[in-house]
Amino acid sequence: MKSRGMPTIGQRNRLQYIILGLLNQHPQTGYDLAKAFENEIGEFWQAQHSQIYPMLKRLEAAGEISHEDTVTGEKLAKKQYTLTSAGREKLVAWVSQPSPELTPSKDEFILKLYFIKTASDPRIQPMLREQYQLHQSQLHHLQQRQETVFPNQKAIDQAYGHYLILDHAIERESHYVEWLAQYLEK
Amino acid sequence: MKSRGMPTIGQRNRLQYIILGLLNQHPQTGYDLAKAFENEIGEFWQAQHSQIYPMLKRLEAAGEISHEDTVTGEKLAKKQYTLTSAGREKLVAWVSQPSPELTPSKDEFILKLYFIKTASDPRIQPMLREQYQLHQSQLHHLQQRQETVFPNQKAIDQAYGHYLILDHAIERESHYVEWLAQYLEK
DNA sequence: TTAAAACATGTAATTAATTACATGTTCGTT
DNA sequence: AACGAACATGTAATTAATTACATGTTTTAA
């Protein structure tokens, strides 16, 4: 009793919506999308090109995006994908839908701590220090990106969504670092 | 050039280690493990029983755990799994290993915000309110669990790992709620 | 000029994870 | 006595995601 006229793409598949959202910002190639998952989006969703290219085909087959072939230089072929009106509708519907589930998250390090039973175990402090360094350097990286990408209020207003996402990532890392510091012995 | 005498279980598979860690606390059944993924562990790792039972078989075949059949009441068969010394070694090795990667995380809601381009879009505030409620109630839930499970210092000392994990979850939710509140209009 | 990095696009194979299917027992409540 | 919730264990089917395979072009810096 699964399909009642539903499309082949599973309704829980969020990658498709994220791709639609990215293409709505401006037409892009699969390669560009893959870059976005490494950069601005990467803090909150990940996808490799091997997942992206097939999804672009599915979305195009479903009539939600279309592409135009362009050539760079002598013969390097690119496919610029654009949203169709059907795709835009689907995107709007997704954004408007409530998101009532807490996203499950995974943290291997925290679990390792969990399995160490006593507060005095000598392994704890080195582990905390390692994670502190890791998250501290990630925090620095994010902060530097914020400084270069959003040097003034105008830049923020022009890419508010991007600003929000980066701000959230910075806050999250910053708080993680503080939590670690709390259990670190000086 | 992939396998050079390596076991069939992929080395990145963390579920196996988590199961070893849980069994190290005390012998348990697959059902008990599934409960743990809904309760104390659930904030930082998830697994369904359909993933757990096959993994128990693989771990037993690899000689890292063993089981004892017990019967409850008239005929309800249970399998109590215990770590073998090989399993305990593997667990210790995992915990001791550095965890140098930032765990990728996914957040559908933050991405939806990202795709809304202007700060004045009327959809933003209702979305923020929905998430505020969601995370606020999750926070309450976690706080109540902390109160009941860890009413005093003695309880904390006796399950320090569990305390850490719950504390981290509470801090994370609490901070998420604060971040949302910052962008909420009163 | 040449080599490496970045650009660009795909498929195949494998592994992880979810959802659905499938069955039966025990305990607590009404 | 009957019913529902919780206990208990598995497999099958599907989907999502990663890793590996595979190929070629363009730009940039040494």
Side-chain angles (χ1 to χ4, degrees):
Chain A
M1 227 91 324
K2 187 197 175 178
S3 58
R4 33 173 218 288
M6 279 292 106
T8 17
I9 299 180
Q11 58 274 60
R12 275 262 138 254
N13 182 336
R14 278 105 156 186
L15 176 60
Q16 60 179 327
Y17 300 112
I18 297 166
I19 289 177
L20 291 177
L22 288 168
L23 292 179
N24 188 46
Q25 299 181 334
H26 56 266
Q28 292 180 74
T29 66
Y31 188 85
D32 295 329
L33 294 173
K35 285 280 137 182
F37 282 101
E38 284 171 17
N39 301 321
E40 59 263 34
I41 293 291
E43 292 296 320
F44 301 105
W45 208 270
Q46 302 79 39
Q48 273 72 42
H49 74 274
S50 58
Q51 225 187 332
I52 293 166
Y53 288 116
M55 185 57 79
L56 287 169
K57 295 211 162 170
R58 284 164 75 186
L59 289 170
E60 187 163 42
E64 289 155 15
I65 62 176
S66 63
H67 82 270
E68 202 182 324
D69 291 300
T70 61
V71 173
T72 305
E74 281 298 294
K75 45 179 157 173
L76 182 59
K78 282 193 202 187
K79 294 183 179 178
Q80 287 273 334
Y81 286 92
T82 318
L83 277 196
T84 64
S85 56
R88 196 163 288 107
E89 271 175 51
K90 190 167 160 180
L91 172 63
V92 169
W94 172 66
V95 173
S96 306
Q97 250 177 344
S99 321
E101 330 85 25
L102 295 159
T103 311
S105 74
K106 303 195 165 182
D107 190 323
E108 190 179 8
F109 163 72
I110 294 289
L111 286 173
K112 285 184 181 176
L113 277 190
Y114 174 66
F115 292 127
I116 294 179
K117 290 282 92 179
T118 62
S120 59
D121 191 299
R123 289 171 297 177
I124 292 184
Q125 288 297 317
M127 285 170 69
L128 287 171
R129 277 196 295 274
E130 184 203 33
Q131 291 298 307
Y132 186 81
Q133 284 236 320
L134 180 65
H135 286 275
Q136 186 71 264
S137 85
Q138 173 68 357
L139 177 57
H140 278 321
H141 168 243
L142 292 172
Q143 281 168 338
Q144 286 204 305
R145 231 175 54 200
Q146 194 181 42
E147 274 174 44
T148 57
V149 181
F150 299 105
N152 49 50
Q153 189 61 41
K154 195 182 164 210
I156 294 174
D157 295 336
Q158 277 172 355
Y160 190 65
H162 190 174
Y163 176 76
L164 274 184
I165 218 170
L166 188 48
D167 180 57
H168 191 80
I170 286 171
E171 287 289 309
R172 188 177 59 177
E173 281 301 324
S174 168
H175 190 256
Y176 200 115
V177 165
E178 276 173 46
W179 185 84
L180 289 167
Q182 187 190 334
Y183 290 98
L184 262 181
E185 287 162 8
K186 293 136 307 224
Chain B
M1 229 90 320
K2 187 195 174 182
S3 57
R4 32 172 219 288
M6 279 293 105
T8 17
I9 298 179
Q11 58 274 63
R12 275 262 138 255
N13 182 336
R14 279 105 155 185
L15 176 59
Q16 59 179 327
Y17 300 112
I18 298 166
I19 288 177
L20 292 177
L22 289 167
L23 293 179
N24 189 46
Q25 299 181 336
H26 56 267
Q28 294 180 72
T29 66
Y31 187 87
D32 295 329
L33 294 172
K35 286 279 137 183
F37 283 101
E38 284 170 17
N39 302 321
E40 60 264 33
I41 293 291
E43 292 295 321
F44 301 105
W45 208 272
Q46 302 79 40
Q48 272 71 42
H49 75 272
S50 58
Q51 226 187 331
I52 292 166
Y53 288 116
M55 184 58 79
L56 286 170
K57 296 211 161 171
R58 284 164 74 186
L59 289 170
E60 188 163 41
E64 290 154 15
I65 61 176
S66 63
H67 83 268
E68 201 181 324
D69 290 300
T70 61
V71 173
T72 306
E74 283 297 293
K75 46 177 157 172
L76 182 58
K78 282 193 202 188
K79 293 182 178 176
Q80 288 272 334
Y81 285 93
T82 318
L83 277 195
T84 64
S85 56
R88 196 164 289 106
E89 271 175 51
K90 190 168 160 180
L91 173 63
V92 169
W94 172 66
V95 172
S96 307
Q97 250 177 345
S99 322
E101 331 85 27
L102 295 158
T103 312
S105 74
K106 303 196 166 182
D107 190 323
E108 189 179 9
F109 163 70
I110 294 289
L111 285 172
K112 285 184 181 177
L113 276 190
Y114 174 66
F115 292 128
I116 294 179
K117 288 283 93 178
T118 63
S120 58
D121 191 299
R123 289 171 297 178
I124 291 184
Q125 288 298 317
M127 284 169 69
L128 287 172
R129 277 196 295 275
E130 184 202 33
Q131 291 298 309
Y132 186 82
Q133 285 237 320
L134 180 65
H135 286 275
Q136 186 71 263
S137 85
Q138 174 67 357
L139 177 58
H140 279 321
H141 168 243
L142 293 172
Q143 280 168 338
Q144 287 205 305
R145 233 176 50 199
Q146 194 182 42
E147 274 173 43
T148 58
V149 181
F150 300 106
N152 50 49
Q153 189 61 39
K154 194 183 166 210
I156 294 173
D157 294 336
Q158 278 173 355
Y160 190 65
H162 190 173
Y163 175 75
L164 274 184
I165 218 169
L166 188 48
D167 179 57
H168 191 78
I170 287 172
E171 287 290 308
R172 187 177 60 176
E173 281 302 325
S174 168
H175 190 256
Y176 200 114
V177 164
E178 275 173 48
W179 185 83
L180 289 167
Q182 186 188 335
Y183 289 97
L184 262 181
E185 287 162 8
K186 293 136 310 230

